């Protein structure tokens, strides 16, 4: 991938960046985010699990949408490391504020953790977070942290061999364009905000759903690859401000974003798609200065002939 000439116009620009420290809990809008081996730093580094170590998500616990998560502002600066006075702060309706120390040593969780098809060991944040989530969800729960020292969770090698994630569903980054959201909202009686789709990167300035075909791209000076459209679960139907499930969004997406519509000649699985999953080639190499910022330009170098699903 060669240099972008100074006269070449970007395809889009980043308008927002979102990090979701705890899987299925509320995201954080940030002005910049360092790139790590598994996506943006801090993204899906924690997960809430049941008594058997199985991950909770909004699919079965929509109340997780109401859990606000806060990290120190400096946490999104490259090279920052936590101390014993650095905290992950949690807030939820009817609950006292919880502070989880980022600098403490955690023991391994009994029984480990399972997220979809993957299972491994994890670090247990202790009794206080366990009691907090158990009270909030009204069932036995624990807060676990990904054990990056001993565990590796690989991305599907069919689509992105060699890449890794923590507790994300499938891929390190999810990108959506404002144009796509606007096009969807024109079809809805009740427009929805971008938090329904929980992207990491929101871009503006491109045509609706043009990101479906982005194959090789550059954001700032970093090389990314579009690998697969994001198949959507129940979560976009959940109002992220109330935790209440609706039906209009799901029905509308089926009308124009289903596999039947996008790939009528392929085997139908009843899925709907919104957003493009990405991997970052430069995340695999050594070096500093790997930070993406709001306002960064997006240059697309090649496009697929049809969306990969």
């Amino acid at each position: 991938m060669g240099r972008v000439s100074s006269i070449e116009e970007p395809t889009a620009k980043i308008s927002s960046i979102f990090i979701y420290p705890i899987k299925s809990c509320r995201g954080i809008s940030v002005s910049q985010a360092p790139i790590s081996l598994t996506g943006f730093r801090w993204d899906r580094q924690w997960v809430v699990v049941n008594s058997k170590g199985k991950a909770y998500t909004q699919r079965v616990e929509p109340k997780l949408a109401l859990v606000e998560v806060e990290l120190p502002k400096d946490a999104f600066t490259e090279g920052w490391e936590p101390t014993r006075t650095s905290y992950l702060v949690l807030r939820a309706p009817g609950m006292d504020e919880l502070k989880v120390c980022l600098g403490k040593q955690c023991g391994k969780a009994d029984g480990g953790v399972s997220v979809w098809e993957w299972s491994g060991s994890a670090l247990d944040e202790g009794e206080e977070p366990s009691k907090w989530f158990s009270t909030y969800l009204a069932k036995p729960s624990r807060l676990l942290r990904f054990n990056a020292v001993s565990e590796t969770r690989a991305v599907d090698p069919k689509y992105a061999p060699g890449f890794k994630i923590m507790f994300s569903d499938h891929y390190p980054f999810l990108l959506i364009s404002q144009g796509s959201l606007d096009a969807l909202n024109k079809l809805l009686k009740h427009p929805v905000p971008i938090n329904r789709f929980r992207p990491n990167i929101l871009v503006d300035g491109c045509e609706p759903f043009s990101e479906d075909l982005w194959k090789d791209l550059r954001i700032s000076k970093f090389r990314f690859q579009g690998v697969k459209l994001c198949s959507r679960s129940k979560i976009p139907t959940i109002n992220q401000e109330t935790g209440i499930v609706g039906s209009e969004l799901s029905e509308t997406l089926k009308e124009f974003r289903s596999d039947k519509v996008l790939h009528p000649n392929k085997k139908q699985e009843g899925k709907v798609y919104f957003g493009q999953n990405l991997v970052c080639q430069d995340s695999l190499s050594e070096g500093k200065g790997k930070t993406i910022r709001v306002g960064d330009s997006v240059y697309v170098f090649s496009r697929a002939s049809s969306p990969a699903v």
Side-chain angles (χ1 to χ4, degrees):
M1 191 177 298
R3 258 187 192 173
V4 179
S5 82
S6 59
I7 61 172
E8 185 171 349
E9 290 295 320
T11 304
K13 287 195 174 185
I14 295 180
S15 55
S16 297
I17 297 172
F18 303 99
I19 309 293
Y20 308 88
I22 303 178
K23 185 177 182 66
S24 266
C25 292
R26 193 163 289 182
I28 303 172
S29 178
V30 298
S31 61
Q32 63 179 33
I35 297 171
S36 75
L37 282 170
T38 56
F40 284 136
R41 190 183 183 190
W42 306 113
D43 194 53
R44 277 86 168 192
Q45 190 166 334
W46 288 268
V47 65
V48 184
V49 301
N50 65 14
S51 58
K52 297 182 180 179
K54 184 177 180 180
Y56 283 132
T57 74
Q58 288 184 34
R59 295 166 181 85
V60 293
E61 294 296 339
K63 285 179 66 176
L64 288 172
L66 309 184
V67 177
E68 296 180 15
V69 183
E70 180 183 317
L71 282 168
K73 290 183 180 180
D74 290 342
F76 303 101
T77 302
E78 186 181 18
W80 181 85
E81 292 298 331
T83 67
R84 288 192 171 273
T85 59
S86 305
Y87 296 96
L88 175 76
V89 182
L90 307 181
R91 303 178 184 90
M95 301 294 296
D96 292 335
E97 181 180 275
L98 174 69
K99 289 186 175 182
V100 181
C101 182
L102 294 172
K104 71 177 181 181
Q105 294 294 320
C106 299
K108 285 189 178 181
D110 294 336
V113 61
S114 62
V115 178
W116 305 122
E117 76 297 336
W118 179 87
S119 60
S121 71
L123 304 176
D124 196 322
E125 292 290 359
E127 291 305 314
E128 191 176 2
S130 174
K131 291 177 181 177
W132 196 89
F133 275 105
S134 297
T135 299
Y136 180 63
L137 296 176
K139 57 184 66 176
S141 308
R142 301 199 74 83
L143 179 64
L144 305 185
R145 189 189 303 197
F146 192 84
N147 189 353
V149 174
S150 66
E151 298 297 331
T152 298
R153 186 169 171 230
V155 168
D156 187 343
K158 177 182 176 182
Y159 293 97
F163 292 91
K164 303 177 180 69
I165 51 176
M166 288 190 178
F167 293 130
S168 301
D169 274 357
H170 299 292
Y171 296 93
F173 303 93
L174 175 61
L175 180 147
I176 295 176
S177 74
Q178 184 66 45
S180 299
L181 180 65
D182 292 345
L184 170 63
N185 278 331
K186 288 178 181 178
L187 302 175
L188 296 172
K189 291 180 182 177
H190 305 286
V192 298
I194 193 60
N195 64 9
R196 290 290 191 97
F197 297 98
R198 299 172 66 81
N200 297 111
I201 301 171
L202 180 67
V203 301
D204 202 0
C206 58
E207 292 296 315
F209 306 108
S210 59
E211 68 269 26
D212 287 1
L213 302 178
W214 293 355
K215 190 174 179 182
D216 294 303
L217 55 149
R218 203 181 84 178
I219 301 176
S220 182
K221 59 183 178 180
F222 308 108
R223 296 171 298 148
F224 285 79
Q225 182 179 4
V227 292
K228 186 179 185 293
L229 293 191
C230 182
S231 60
R232 307 311 310 210
S233 65
K234 173 186 175 182
I235 290 179
T237 67
I238 301 170
N239 186 316
Q240 298 294 296
E241 307 302 325
T242 65
I244 296 173
V245 181
S247 61
E248 185 195 6
L249 179 58
S250 178
E251 293 167 358
T252 303
L253 286 173
K254 286 179 182 177
E255 292 175 2
F256 81 118
R257 295 296 298 175
S258 67
D259 48 8
K260 183 178 180 180
V261 174
L262 296 175
H263 282 287
N265 298 322
K266 291 188 176 182
K267 181 181 177 181
Q268 305 302 304
E269 298 182 27
K271 294 181 178 180
V272 296
Y273 299 90
F274 201 88
Q276 176 72 270
N277 289 301
L278 304 178
V279 294
C280 177
Q281 285 93 334
D282 290 312
S283 69
L284 302 178
S285 61
E286 298 288 334
K288 297 182 179 181
K290 295 180 182 179
T291 299
I292 296 293
R293 295 174 174 83
V294 170
D296 280 349
S297 295
V298 179
Y299 296 90
V300 178
F301 293 90
S302 68
R303 293 170 172 81
S305 57
S306 63
V309 297

